Amino acid sequence: MLPTIAWEDDAVVMVDQRKLPATEVYVRCTTANEVARAIKTMVIRGAPAIGVAAAMGVALGMGRSKATGTKQFAVEFQKLCDAMAATRPTAVNLFWAIERMKHALAEGVRAGESADQLKARLKAEALAIEAGDVESCRAIGRHGGVLVPDGARVLTHCNAGALATAGIGTAVGMIRAGWLAGKVKHVYPCETRPYLQGARLTLWELMEAGIPSTLITDNMAAHLMKTRKIDAVIVGSDRIAANADVCNKIGTYGLAIHAKHHGIPFFVVAPSTTVDFSTKNGDLIPIEERSIKEVVEIFGVKIAPKDAKAHHFGFDVTPHALVTAIVTEKGV
């Protein structure tokens, strides 16, 4: 698979997911602002990957700081953290990564480190966050693969694969583990309008891995559950509330309702950093609203009447009562 994100020399390099699968293009970010813009404009997406990108962006920006005193260094650092936090409001991994970077700086300041030492510490912390996500994905696959029924036909939504993480993916990682164990028979990714992450990214990942898969439109899911045996729905998450309500890409809630009606297990797969214990329930999770252009246009081609109004909620919340199990790197 393509590396989703990497630190190369003095730059953060990421594959431009807006161009996949047609073109493999890499964006090279040499400033923190460029990293923030890449997150905001969906060059990189997926909650764990966004967290890694934010951490790297902060480290990259502070690596170029001219501050010599601790106070000025801390002021610049806070500005960068605020800029990263303003990019995407829903995915909690972003804020978790920023908090880890803040903790790393605080430890360095307490130790009396110089500006150069603080810069090295921040870079090391960002790379540790990346490495942690890689290992987390492996562990998630091990735990989740056990839950996959033999001969399973699996339905998934959006992209929670390698492109959404620094590793092999969360939901797709669980599917991969099931496939390698000889348990997954076929996968049906939903196209995931309006950004088409399922069609462009998940299907591409599955095909690259040699996993039998068939694309469906979002509004085919209930029909497929009724007319063909679907054994499991496996999705990722951008934030899980303290009561286990799950926030994920818009359309997930509807899939959970359909799965419940048809008696199909509904698995949510995410690193433990996606669990937000400070948010009591799903009603309190901020739902990102993106530009309606992505709804009324497809890749710049208008599909709705001129001046049409539209909604573009990026996420929805699935009540915990509809969730069969949550899989993290710590277990099920």
Side-chain angles (χ1 to χ4, degrees):
M1 294 302 300
L2 301 174
T4 303
I5 185 169
W7 186 291
E8 292 184 2
D9 300 322
D10 290 322
V12 177
V13 181
M14 56 190 80
V15 63
D16 191 341
Q17 298 190 33
R18 302 169 303 181
K19 306 292 179 63
L20 291 173
T23 309
E24 183 181 331
V25 177
Y26 288 84
V27 174
R28 188 177 182 85
C29 301
T30 58
T31 68
N33 285 338
E34 289 176 353
V35 174
R37 191 179 310 118
I39 295 171
K40 191 173 184 65
T41 60
M42 304 276 276
V43 170
I44 190 167
R45 27 92 19 228
I50 288 172
V52 172
M56 287 186 173
V58 169
L60 179 69
M62 293 314 300
R64 298 179 181 280
S65 171
K66 303 297 184 184
T68 54
T70 301
K71 185 175 181 180
Q72 182 57 38
F73 192 92
V75 169
E76 291 184 20
F77 174 82
Q78 186 60 50
K79 287 181 179 178
L80 287 186
C81 289
D82 291 344
M84 293 298 165
T87 55
R88 302 288 303 275
T90 301
V92 75
N93 306 66
L94 170 72
F95 304 100
W96 169 85
I98 292 170
E99 286 303 311
R100 264 194 63 168
M101 296 300 283
K102 288 180 178 179
H103 181 71
L105 179 67
E107 284 188 337
V109 170
R110 281 194 297 270
E113 294 179 352
S114 66
D116 285 343
Q117 289 173 317
L118 291 174
K119 292 175 184 179
R121 177 184 284 271
L122 290 173
K123 179 180 177 181
E125 188 68 13
L127 294 177
I129 289 172
E130 177 194 22
D133 188 54
V134 171
E135 181 51 42
S136 173
C137 288
R138 291 195 186 108
I140 286 171
R142 289 194 297 270
H143 293 308
V146 176
L147 298 177
V148 178
D150 289 331
R153 293 180 176 89
V154 176
L155 191 146
T156 189
H157 188 60
C158 196
N159 174 261
L163 290 167
T165 68
I168 62 169
T170 53
V172 176
M174 176 173 165
I175 292 169
R176 282 173 180 268
W179 164 252
L180 291 172
K183 299 167 85 176
V184 171
K185 182 176 181 180
H186 206 91
V187 183
Y188 296 93
C190 297
E191 62 177 352
T192 323
R193 277 279 291 148
Y195 210 68
L196 300 173
Q197 295 99 319
R200 295 187 303 104
L201 306 178
T202 300
L203 182 64
W204 179 73
E205 285 194 32
L206 293 168
M207 292 175 67
E208 286 290 303
I211 300 174
S213 47
T214 302
L215 181 68
I216 63 169
T217 61
D218 295 345
N219 52 6
M220 286 183 191
H223 175 73
L224 203 68
M225 291 178 186
K226 179 182 178 182
T227 60
R228 299 190 183 187
K229 183 171 168 49
I230 298 295
D231 302 285
V233 177
I234 303 176
V235 299
S237 176
D238 290 82
R239 188 181 302 213
I240 300 171
N243 72 335
D245 289 347
V246 171
C247 181
N248 193 46
K249 182 57 59 183
I250 192 75
T252 303
Y253 180 26
L255 288 176
I257 293 171
H258 295 326
K260 186 75 169 180
H261 177 77
H262 291 93
I264 299 168
F266 186 88
F267 298 119
V268 175
V269 191
S272 60
T273 53
T274 300
V275 182
D276 179 11
F277 288 106
S278 67
T279 299
K280 184 177 180 181
N281 58 59
D283 293 339
L284 302 176
I285 297 175
I287 301 298
E288 178 181 0
E289 292 190 53
R290 297 186 58 79
S291 169
I292 68 167
K293 273 193 170 184
E294 294 174 9
V295 175
V296 299
E297 298 179 1
I298 295 182
F299 302 119
V301 178
K302 291 185 181 300
I303 59 170
K306 183 180 178 182
D307 300 325
K309 295 180 180 180
H311 282 306
H312 187 183
F313 302 107
F315 304 87
D316 58 26
V317 174
T318 299
H320 62 269
L322 298 176
V323 178
T324 304
I326 294 173
V327 182
T328 78
E329 79 282 5
K330 296 182 178 182
V332 179

